[in-house]
């Protein structure tokens, strides 16, 4: 069992995507994944490092923001 809550990381990524005015469809096109896969990632139903890196690079997420999710279990 994981000791972190992927749904909180997904919420953080979704929030960052929306701040940059990206749609899930745009993310899917850029990453080569389906919109269903993007939705699952943002709702914590899948764990995908490639998608996490995309959100970090394209949406400006920082290690500290992700670390906050891992340490405190919630989006700060």
């Amino acid at each position: 069992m994981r000791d972190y809550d992927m749904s909180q990381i997904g919420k953080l990524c979704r929030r960052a995507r929306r701040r940059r005015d990206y749609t899930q469809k745009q993310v899917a096109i850029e990453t080569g994944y389906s919109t269903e896969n993007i939705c699952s990632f943002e709702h914590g139903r899948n764990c995908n490092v490639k998608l996490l890196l995309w959100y970090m690079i394209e949406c400006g997420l920082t290690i500290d923001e992700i670390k906050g999710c891992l340490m405190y279990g919630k989006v700060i």
Side-chain angles (χ1 to χ4, degrees):
M1 186 165 177
R2 290 181 256 189
D3 60 348
Y4 58 90
D5 186 353
M6 194 61 204
S7 67
Q8 294 302 316
I9 293 173
K11 284 181 188 178
L12 179 68
C13 290
R14 182 175 58 240
R15 188 179 293 168
R17 173 182 58 78
R18 288 177 174 168
R19 276 195 312 254
R20 298 290 176 134
D21 292 323
Y22 276 105
T23 64
Q24 286 185 344
K25 186 173 184 171
Q26 289 171 310
V27 176
I29 290 167
E30 288 195 24
T31 61
Y33 290 102
S34 68
T35 53
E36 292 83 7
N37 200 302
I38 305 305
C39 182
S40 291
F41 178 79
E42 290 185 357
H43 285 89
R45 294 188 300 267
N46 80 28
C47 183
N48 186 312
V49 172
K50 182 180 175 184
L51 285 177
L52 180 58
L53 289 173
W54 185 91
Y55 283 90
M56 291 178 74
I57 293 166
E58 297 299 325
C59 297
L61 281 180
T62 67
I63 291 290
D64 288 335
E65 289 173 301
I66 294 167
K67 195 161 98 176
C69 282
L70 297 175
M71 291 176 62
Y72 305 114
K74 60 183 175 182
V75 178
I76 300 173

